[in-house]
Amino acid sequence: MKKPVEDFLADYKPEVRDLALKVRELVRSVLPEAHESVHTGYKTITYGTGPRMSDEICYIAPLSSSVNLGFNYGTQLPDPNGLLKGTGKLLRHIKFESPDEVASPGLTELLEMAKNHGKF
C-alpha cells in the first residue's frame, strides 16, 4: 500500500522525520523528475525512473535514530569520498545521524552519478 511521504513519516520521532525530509529535499533537488514511491512494507521511500522495483535508483530508509540514503547499484558507483557503506552485492548506503551531515561534500555528485547510471 502506498501513502504520501508525510503520512509515512508521521510515526517516526520528530528528529528522524525532519532528517528524512532533509535527505528527501537533497534527493529531489538532484532528481526532480524521479518517480517517488512509499513502500510501507520495506519502510522506504524510493526514487527511480518509474514505478517498478527495477526502475529504482535510490531510497530513503528512516530508522529509530538515523536515516539511510541507499543506492540500488551503489557498488557500481565511483565513491572518491568514501561515503558509501555496506557489504551487499549491489546495495550501498550512507547513514545520516544529524542534519548537518546532509551537506557533506560529494553527496550531490554521488546522486548525479546514480542518476546517470539510472538512465534519466
Side-chain angles (χ1 to χ4, degrees), residues 58-87:
C58 64
Y59 62 89
I60 296 171
L63 304 168
S64 62
S65 61
S66 62
V67 173
N68 283 353
L69 172 60
F71 294 86
N72 292 44
Y73 297 95
T75 59
Q76 298 173 7
L77 298 175
D79 183 20
N81 295 308
L83 298 173
L84 296 172
K85 306 295 181 217
T87 58

Side-chain angles (χ1 to χ4, degrees), residues 1-55:
M1 178 180 169
K2 296 180 183 175
K3 295 173 22 177
V5 172
E6 292 78 11
D7 289 347
F8 168 67
L9 293 173
D11 294 334
Y12 288 91
K13 294 189 290 189
E15 54 272 14
V16 171
R17 181 173 50 246
D18 293 345
L19 184 54
L21 290 172
K22 189 157 181 79
V23 174
R24 179 186 188 221
E25 189 177 301
L26 171 68
V27 171
R28 300 297 287 170
S29 73
V30 177
L31 304 169
E33 67 279 8
H35 182 270
E36 179 181 70
S37 294
V38 172
H39 298 279
T40 54
Y42 290 112
K43 297 183 180 178
T44 60
I45 307 163
T46 61
Y47 300 88
T49 58
R52 297 180 315 227
M53 187 176 261
S54 61
D55 298 329

Side-chain angles (χ1 to χ4, degrees), residues 85-104:
K85 306 295 181 217
T87 58
K89 288 185 179 184
L90 289 175
L91 296 177
R92 291 290 181 272
H93 69 275
I94 301 168
K95 183 176 191 169
F96 298 99
E97 295 180 330
S98 78
D100 296 341
E101 294 173 332
V102 181
S104 297

